[in-house]
Amino acid sequence: MANVRVERTDDGGFRATNARGAEVRIGGGDEDGVFTPVELLLAAVGGCNIVTVEPLTSQRNKRLVRLAMTVQAEKVEQSRLGPVTVTYDVELPSEDARSVFEAVAERVHEKYCTVSRSLQEGTEVRLELP
């Protein structure tokens, strides 16, 4: 089970923490040094894809020289995003690595990235009040 705690900090900001001690600051789009909730969602999509693609290409002896991506989406309504677009930025170790990378990236996107699949399939979000 995955879980994070999100709370208001003493200085009036917000942070999310996990049981392993990681922390990320959360705020509005006009604040420096913080992620907005939408940016965290996009980071989760990118992170899920990239941490799954990396070991799979490496296991096939096609470790990418550069592996990065941009994840973007626009609001189509005040509280709703349009399509999320993941754009890879890679440097291949050789031309024959292209087919391996493309096959792995497509398979990860279609089957193995929990975050992307959850968004695509519309995972239910439940609210529990004290």
Side-chain angles (χ1 to χ4, degrees):
M1 173 182 229
N3 96 42
V4 297
R5 179 172 175 83
V6 181
E7 61 188 337
R8 187 185 64 230
T9 58
D10 291 339
D11 65 1
F14 300 91
R15 77 169 160 234
T17 56
N18 67 18
R20 296 178 308 283
E23 178 179 307
V24 63
R25 293 180 53 214
I26 304 168
D30 57 347
E31 297 176 60
D32 291 334
V34 299
F35 280 92
T36 68
V38 170
E39 290 168 338
L40 288 172
L41 178 70
L42 298 178
V45 169
C48 184
N49 277 276
I50 208 166
V51 303
T52 309
V53 165
E54 168 63 18
L56 294 175
T57 54
S58 293
Q59 287 170 5
R60 290 159 178 78
N61 294 320
K62 305 295 182 194
R63 187 170 193 274
L64 303 170
V65 176
R66 181 181 64 253
L67 174 57
M69 63 177 50
T70 301
V71 185
Q72 59 187 17
E74 291 187 25
K75 283 190 175 183
V76 294
E77 295 175 16
Q78 183 163 344
S79 59
R80 189 169 160 270
L81 291 176
V84 175
T85 303
V86 175
T87 305
Y88 278 91
D89 175 18
V90 299
E91 182 179 340
L92 302 168
S94 61
E95 191 51 41
D96 67 322
R98 178 174 304 283
S99 62
V100 170
F101 162 68
E102 289 177 354
V104 166
E106 287 176 12
R107 195 165 43 256
V108 165
H109 172 71
E110 292 171 3
K111 295 182 180 181
Y112 299 114
C113 177
T114 303
V115 177
S116 294
R117 288 182 44 102
S118 295
L119 286 175
Q120 288 176 324
E121 295 178 14
T123 298
E124 178 183 0
V125 177
R126 298 180 187 143
L127 176 65
E128 293 184 9
L129 300 173

